[in-house]
Amino acid sequence: MRRAVCPGSFDPVTRGHIDIFERASLMFDEIIISVFHNPGKDKAMFSMEERVEMLKLATKHIPNVKVTAFSGLLNEFCVRENAPFIVRGLRAFTDFEYEFQRALLIKKIDTHLETVFIMTNAQYSFVSSSGVRELAAFNGQIKDLVPSCVEERIRQHVAKKL
């Protein structure tokens, strides 16, 4: 069974993320979407549990997806999950530089892990979680940027802050 991990903070999950998951699901028998704790991003809009819940709702149409969370080293998580592939989405050349370095580091740590890069669909090339958070904070239009179930959660979150 070919299993792949799609790691990320997904705060919040966007339509760009969903596009990558859908396309990766055609390449692998199982896609493990995993929300990870990123110490560099401590100003999260949603808790890890909320992000897992939203991901489950947003990906329920993809039959070979499993959603989970982890903290720690990605390579160790992949070994625990028996998933020798890591899927990363790329929006721009700057993403490639960052992800390429990470992939090389992972390969140095564990030669059995392979990183697969999937280019974003052009219609999502400008979409980022941070951009969605900023738009939402100023009551901007996010409808076409996130799944509808996520849009509602974001609106509720922002309304609580007012």
Side-chain angles (χ1 to χ4, degrees):
M1 176 181 268
R2 290 174 316 185
R3 302 175 93 198
V5 172
C6 291
S9 53
F10 308 116
D11 187 38
V13 61
T14 69
R15 289 189 185 271
H17 292 128
I18 300 299
D19 176 62
I20 297 294
F21 303 151
E22 289 170 344
R23 291 163 54 206
S25 76
L26 301 174
M27 298 178 210
F28 298 96
D29 299 313
E30 184 175 38
I31 300 296
I32 304 164
I33 302 168
S34 196
V35 177
F36 72 95
H37 173 70
N38 185 343
K41 295 184 179 181
D42 280 338
K43 296 180 182 178
M45 178 178 270
F46 296 103
S47 70
M48 285 179 70
E49 294 79 14
E50 289 171 311
R51 288 180 267 161
V52 166
E53 180 185 331
M54 285 187 286
L55 276 161
K56 285 180 179 179
L57 288 172
T59 61
K60 66 182 176 185
H61 67 285
I62 310 171
N64 58 334
V65 159
K66 170 182 161 183
V67 180
T68 187
F70 80 97
S71 61
L73 295 174
L74 177 58
N75 62 301
E76 292 175 359
F77 178 76
C78 289
V79 169
R80 274 196 314 271
E81 293 292 326
N82 193 27
F85 301 99
I86 300 166
V87 172
R88 302 296 296 175
L90 300 175
R91 289 174 299 184
F93 189 71
T94 52
D95 285 348
F96 176 76
E97 288 182 294
Y98 174 76
E99 294 296 346
F100 183 68
Q101 288 180 350
R102 287 181 54 143
L104 290 175
L105 180 60
I106 288 282
K107 193 61 151 171
K108 175 70 175 165
I109 294 169
D110 187 332
T111 58
H112 298 99
L113 291 175
E114 293 292 342
T115 301
V116 176
F117 297 117
I118 300 178
M119 296 300 299
T120 188
N121 184 315
Q123 72 185 40
Y124 304 119
S125 62
F126 63 92
V127 179
S128 67
S129 294
S130 59
V132 168
R133 288 192 307 270
E134 186 175 339
L135 275 170
F138 291 102
N139 206 27
Q141 180 59 257
I142 60 170
K143 180 180 180 180
D144 296 328
L145 307 179
V146 296
S148 57
C149 60
V150 174
E151 179 187 9
E152 180 59 29
R153 293 291 296 271
I154 293 170
R155 295 284 176 219
Q156 291 170 1
H157 179 82
V158 169
K160 282 188 223 175
K161 297 282 184 185
L162 299 177

